[in-house]
């Protein structure tokens, strides 16, 4: 877990009720459009309105429900957006006999479903109505290709070098059945039913072309749960994400996205990114036995506000040379925040966009909980691998975590209007 930043948006009060609209049997898509035309007040995020369970009483969405991400664009959604309250990660393998043609048809179906659901519309086929009361709720659906996908589709020559398997690390305790996969889908939303609705639609769309390899569920703090927007906390209680690269930084794109040219990556990866996915279990019973001071020394930051132990506030630059009265470094030499700094790793950086998870308890009462770590970078060898190798050599946090599943996926750029994700690869 590296020391970077993400800030969720604040929630505003619900908008006032609107005049009755719609009739029995009207479609969700038509009702959304009709309600908008009659002058309903939108939530602060804007972009859509929804309806209640009673079709005769349309009411505007809250700001949480009205949030809408765009499917079409230069980059796929779900990379630069703020953290969402709910998430699902799911990997598929193509079925026996399914190849390039079937994969292309599947990505076409998936892209159309993602576009519709992200716009607050029903799925094209057999919609389950799970999300019929809700707006888009900042839903994002993101698609990627695993290393094995290219051999199964006869596209080995188009497989990026950057997709070579990750090396082994000392903290790995990997379950191969919950790692990798031909295809990967990331779903995020600020409403649990909206997220599940998308998950179910994607799974149904797979049809006979692909079968589920593994699936994981995660969560974050809901937007508006704090008095003001702030960096998220993880299940260790630490503010987690302070030094995340920001889109406003001049070198953000070159760190996170594959350039259009020149590039060592194939043309179809232009404006795409590489996602490293790790299920990182936190050994919470051991962690929680530490004093707050000991926990802060492990991380290198104050637990209360995320400020570096060298002083200041959360965003204050860490003073790596500062010592106490006894001459000891204030930020310990093996502190997690010290080791993961880009200036300690040749400028290596990655955009972290994780979800926490809790999958119950072992038979002895130990929580199976931790982080669904997802990080984005233009080059995983320079990003994740560089930092993880450094962590392997002496991170104080390593005693309290273990990596239990892993995956690396090539995530192509966004789809233009009328196109589907991965079209440049599958029809190039």
């Amino acid at each position: 877990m590296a020391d970077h930043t993400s800030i969720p948006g604040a929630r505003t009060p619900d908008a006032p009720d609107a005049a009755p609209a719609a009739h029995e049997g009207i479609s969700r898509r038509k009702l959304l459009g009709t309600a908008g035309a009659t002058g309903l007040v939108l939530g602060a995020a804007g972009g859509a309105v929804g309806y209640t369970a009673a079709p005769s009483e349309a009411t505007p969405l809250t700001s949480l429900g009205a949030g809408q991400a765009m499917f079409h664009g230069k980059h796929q959604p779900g990379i630069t957006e703020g953290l969402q309250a709910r998430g699902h990660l799911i990997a598929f393998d193509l079925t026996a006999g399914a190849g390039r043609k079937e994969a292309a048809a599947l990505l076409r179906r998936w892209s159309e479903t993602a576009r519709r659901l992200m716009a607050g519309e029903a799925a094209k086929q057999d919609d389950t109505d799970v999300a019929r009361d809700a707006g888009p709720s900042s839903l994002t659906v993101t698609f990627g290709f695993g290393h094995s996908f290219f051999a199964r589709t006869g596209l080995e020559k188009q497989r990026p070098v950057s997709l070579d398997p990750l090396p082994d690390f000392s903290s790995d305790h990997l379950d191969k059945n919950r790692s990798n996969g031909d295809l990967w889908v990331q779903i995020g939303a600020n409403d649990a039913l909206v997220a599940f609705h998308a998950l179910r639609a994607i799974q149904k769309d797979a049809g006979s072309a692909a079968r589920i390899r593994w699936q994981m569920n995660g969560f974050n703090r809901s937007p508006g749960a704090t008095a003001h927007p702030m960096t998220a906390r993880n299940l260790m209680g630490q503010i987690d994400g302070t030094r995340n690269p920001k889109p406003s930084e001049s070198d953000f794109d070159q760190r996170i996205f594959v350039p259009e040219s020149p590039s060592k990556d194939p043309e179809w990866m232009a404006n795409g990114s590489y996602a490293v996915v790790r299920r990182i279990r936190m050994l919470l019973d051991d962690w929680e036995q530490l004093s707050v001071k000991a926990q802060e020394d492990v991380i290198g930051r104050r637990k209360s506000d995320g400020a570096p132990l060298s002083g200041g506030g959360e965003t204050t630059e860490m003073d790596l040379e500062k010592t106490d009265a006894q001459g000891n470094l204030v930020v310990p030499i093996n502190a997690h925040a010290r080791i993961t700094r880009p200036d300690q790793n040749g400028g290596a950086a990655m955009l972290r966009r994780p979800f926490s998870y809790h999958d119950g308890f072992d038979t002895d009462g130990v929580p199976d909980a931790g982080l669904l770590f997802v990080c984005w970078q233009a080059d995983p060898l320079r990003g994740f691998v560089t930092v993880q190798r450094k962590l392997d050599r002496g991170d104080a946090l390593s005693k309290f975590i273990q990596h239990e599943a892993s995956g690396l996926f090539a995530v192509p750029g966004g789809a233009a209007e009328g196109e589907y994700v991965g079209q440049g690869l599958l029809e190039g």
Side-chain angles (χ1 to χ4, degrees):
M1 295 177 292
D3 183 37
H4 304 300
T5 212
S6 265
I7 300 178
R11 180 178 178 181
T12 56
D14 295 0
D17 288 346
H23 298 285
E24 191 75 47
I26 194 168
S27 71
R28 181 171 187 240
R29 180 178 184 179
K30 184 174 180 181
L31 180 53
L32 288 171
T34 304
T38 58
L40 293 178
V41 180
L42 304 183
V49 291
Y51 59 87
T52 63
S56 62
E57 295 183 8
T59 57
L61 297 171
T62 64
S63 61
L64 189 150
Q68 182 175 345
M70 297 296 105
F71 176 74
H72 294 294
K74 184 177 181 179
H75 310 297
Q76 284 197 60
I79 301 176
T80 59
E81 287 84 0
L83 296 179
Q84 293 136 306
R86 295 286 177 171
H88 300 293
L89 307 179
I90 184 168
F92 293 83
D93 286 334
L94 294 174
T95 55
R100 181 174 177 176
K101 178 181 176 181
E102 289 76 16
L106 174 57
L107 267 295
R108 190 180 295 111
R109 291 195 300 274
W110 274 353
S111 295
E112 175 61 10
T113 293
R115 182 196 66 77
R116 293 176 67 93
L117 299 189
M118 285 175 57
E121 302 174 13
K124 189 175 183 178
Q125 300 289 337
D126 301 321
D127 190 89
T128 61
D129 279 344
V130 171
R132 75 185 301 268
D133 317 276
S137 300
S138 300
L139 173 69
T140 59
V141 186
T142 318
F143 304 103
F145 303 109
H147 185 276
S148 55
F149 176 82
F150 297 85
R152 292 178 182 271
T153 54
L155 291 165
E156 293 98 327
K157 292 183 178 179
Q158 288 296 317
R159 184 170 59 213
V161 174
S162 297
L163 205 53
D164 286 351
L166 297 173
D168 295 330
F169 300 105
S170 63
S171 58
D172 286 352
H173 296 75
L174 303 182
D175 178 356
K176 292 183 179 180
N177 293 325
R178 292 193 293 181
S179 298
N180 303 312
D182 293 344
L183 293 156
W184 174 69
V185 185
Q186 173 191 253
I187 295 168
N190 283 332
D191 178 78
L193 288 180
V194 169
F196 176 82
H197 180 240
L199 175 68
R200 183 69 175 127
I202 290 296
Q203 185 242 332
K204 289 170 64 179
D205 274 350
S208 61
R211 60 176 177 80
I212 295 172
R213 180 180 177 86
W214 55 259
Q215 192 247 315
M216 302 174 189
N217 309 313
F219 58 90
N220 284 306
R221 174 174 277 158
S222 298
T226 56
H228 54 83
M230 62 179 291
T231 312
R233 290 187 185 272
N234 60 34
L235 298 189
M236 288 179 163
Q238 301 289 150
I239 288 181
D240 187 357
T242 298
R243 289 183 59 87
N244 240 357
K246 300 174 179 61
S248 58
E249 296 170 354
S250 60
D251 61 350
F252 179 84
D253 279 3
Q254 72 182 60
R255 288 181 168 191
I256 308 305
F257 296 110
V258 173
E260 294 183 11
S261 65
S263 173
K264 64 183 178 66
D265 290 277
E267 185 177 349
W268 64 268
M269 271 298 291
N271 301 313
S273 188
Y274 290 93
V276 174
V277 181
R278 310 279 280 186
R279 185 184 192 269
I280 304 176
R281 185 168 184 172
M282 295 176 172
L283 308 181
L284 295 179
D285 284 351
D286 295 338
W287 175 256
E288 290 163 5
Q289 288 178 12
L290 298 179
S291 66
V292 171
K293 173 63 167 60
Q295 291 178 354
E296 292 177 337
D297 283 344
V298 168
I299 302 299
R301 291 182 174 275
R302 290 201 300 258
K303 192 171 185 178
S304 60
D305 59 5
L309 298 183
S310 54
E314 182 187 349
T315 58
T316 300
E317 192 69 19
M318 184 176 289
D319 184 350
L320 300 180
E321 305 302 322
K322 187 173 181 179
T323 58
D324 59 20
Q326 288 73 43
N328 300 314
L329 289 169
V330 174
V331 180
I333 197 69
N334 61 349
H336 185 74
R338 173 191 284 270
I339 294 174
T340 58
R341 286 171 57 93
D343 58 9
Q344 302 294 301
N345 294 281
M350 49 193 167
L351 178 66
R352 298 173 67 261
R353 203 171 176 280
F355 293 95
S356 293
Y357 77 87
H358 178 223
D359 290 339
F361 299 85
D362 291 348
T363 54
D364 54 0
V366 175
D368 182 5
L371 198 69
L372 300 181
F373 176 92
V374 182
C375 73
W376 301 89
Q377 57 262 287
D379 182 346
L381 184 61
R382 288 203 66 230
F384 174 79
V385 173
T386 296
V387 176
Q388 190 61 36
R389 279 176 171 159
K390 188 79 172 288
L391 293 171
D392 251 17
R393 294 197 291 267
D395 176 26
L397 186 59
S398 63
K399 291 167 51 179
F400 303 97
I401 62 173
Q402 60 186 33
H403 293 229
E404 296 187 336
S406 178
L408 171 62
F409 302 96
V411 176
E417 295 276 353
E419 296 182 351
Y420 64 87
V421 172
Q423 187 166 335
L425 167 64
L426 292 163
E427 295 186 16

